[in-house]
Amino acid sequence: MVLQIQPSTQPEVIYPDSDGQPIANNTIQFGWIVEIKQNLDWLFAEDPNVFVAGDLFWYPVEGRNKIVNAPDVMVVLGRPKGVGVARRRHRLCYQQWKEEGIAPQVVFEILSPSNTQTEMDKKLLFYDRYGVEEYYIYDPDRNNLRGWLHSEDGLDVIPQMEDWVSPLLKIRFVPSSEVLQLYRPDGERFLTYTEISRNAEQERQRAELAEQARRDAIPRLLQMNLTIEQIAQALGLSVEEVRTLAQE
């Protein structure tokens, strides 16, 4: 009797996309995470190959789901904003081996009272080991900013953060006696969480007013004997949109 040995199959490795913990421990920490992430999104909005994420699990080693970290904000230069068909699908986590082996180059951490020195030391070792080129920690409670820059020997402390300009992002750090300020390469200041919310609401209102103005203009332009095609061109709408609005 001949025994046939069945080939062994390796169990599928699961890479969780959440640990059940909140993105931030308090509103101050959350506000800073949103501010940095949203402003970097705006800064690189026109570049399809800059991926910015907040609190996203990063797995640097295939098959090792215990080697993971979730930076408060991370920036990956050279990777698309979306994945999958037409780049429309969001990542559930960042699996580096599926991203041409490219590690996040810039990482931000915002401290909260619950962060321990041991925890932050482990993060520094992780980012050093797995290829981060710029690492910044801001403690909003103490208004303390620290930074590290990659060299031949790994991540080295940046001795002077006053007016420091990120080599990769070109943003400027301006610590003050009250609060950290960040500036875009064009000199514009990063907007705060409150300013972002206020501007978003103002932009929504402007869009609604512009839409209503277009709607109101269509009957008047028709009365002036303009054609649907002429109105569409004048208002920056499609012919079908003008026809639909004219029937309302």
Side-chain angles (χ1 to χ4, degrees):
M1 180 178 178
V2 178
L3 296 176
Q4 293 186 350
I5 300 176
Q6 298 296 324
S8 61
T9 58
Q10 296 295 327
E12 180 184 3
V13 178
I14 304 299
Y15 300 93
D17 55 23
S18 174
D19 58 3
Q21 299 299 313
I23 186 174
N25 291 334
N26 55 62
T27 55
I28 296 175
Q29 185 189 22
F30 178 75
W32 274 101
I33 293 171
V34 171
E35 176 178 336
I36 294 172
K37 198 270 184 188
Q38 185 68 74
N39 280 276
L40 290 174
D41 276 336
W42 289 340
L43 179 60
F44 295 106
E46 302 304 318
D47 191 332
N49 288 313
V50 177
F51 174 57
V52 181
D55 197 44
L56 186 71
F57 275 26
W58 163 27
Y59 293 95
V61 183
E62 185 175 8
R64 304 287 299 278
N65 62 2
K66 300 299 183 183
I67 302 177
V68 59
N69 224 311
D72 286 336
V73 180
M74 69 182 192
V75 182
V76 191
L77 306 174
R79 293 307 298 155
K81 299 184 188 305
V83 295
V85 179
R87 305 297 186 191
R88 294 172 183 166
R89 188 158 50 87
H90 293 290
R91 295 168 175 85
L92 297 178
C93 59
Y94 191 84
Q95 299 177 26
Q96 190 171 321
W97 58 94
K98 294 183 178 180
E99 307 282 354
E100 298 185 1
I102 298 176
Q105 295 97 341
V106 186
V107 163
F108 297 81
E109 294 285 358
I110 307 300
L111 291 186
S112 70
S114 66
N115 290 127
T116 65
Q117 187 60 51
T118 299
E119 176 188 0
M120 301 314 296
D121 288 344
K122 287 181 178 179
K123 284 180 180 285
L124 178 59
L125 288 172
F126 182 98
Y127 297 144
D128 186 34
R129 178 174 299 168
Y130 294 111
V132 170
E133 297 183 36
E134 298 178 33
Y135 177 34
Y136 303 103
I137 297 178
Y138 181 58
D139 182 348
D141 287 337
R142 295 180 174 84
N143 188 28
N144 182 41
L145 173 68
R146 291 178 291 164
W148 289 260
L149 185 66
H150 189 269
S151 70
E152 292 181 356
D153 299 322
L155 286 172
D156 286 336
V157 172
I158 301 170
Q160 178 56 260
M161 289 301 299
E162 182 74 31
D163 282 330
W164 170 260
V165 176
S166 160
L168 292 174
L169 306 181
K170 308 305 180 186
I171 63 174
R172 184 162 57 97
F173 297 78
V174 183
S176 72
S177 60
E178 296 181 357
V179 69
L180 172 67
Q181 297 282 0
L182 297 172
Y183 290 85
R184 295 162 49 99
D186 60 9
E188 292 294 323
R189 179 177 58 82
F190 272 29
L191 298 178
T192 66
Y193 174 56
T194 301
E195 290 168 332
I196 291 170
S197 300
R198 184 185 302 122
N199 286 358
E201 177 60 22
Q202 290 173 346
E203 185 60 33
R204 185 190 65 79
Q205 292 176 356
R206 280 194 293 267
E208 289 180 353
L209 289 173
E211 178 66 20
Q212 188 59 50
R214 282 197 293 256
R215 290 173 181 270
D216 294 341
I218 290 173
R220 295 197 299 269
L221 294 174
L222 288 172
Q223 291 174 2
M224 297 169 60
N225 295 322
L226 270 69
T227 66
I228 295 291
E229 289 75 13
Q230 289 172 325
I231 295 173
Q233 184 176 8
L235 298 180
L237 300 171
S238 69
V239 171
E240 286 304 317
E241 285 176 317
V242 173
R243 286 193 178 123
T244 300
L245 292 172
Q247 293 172 359
E248 291 182 353

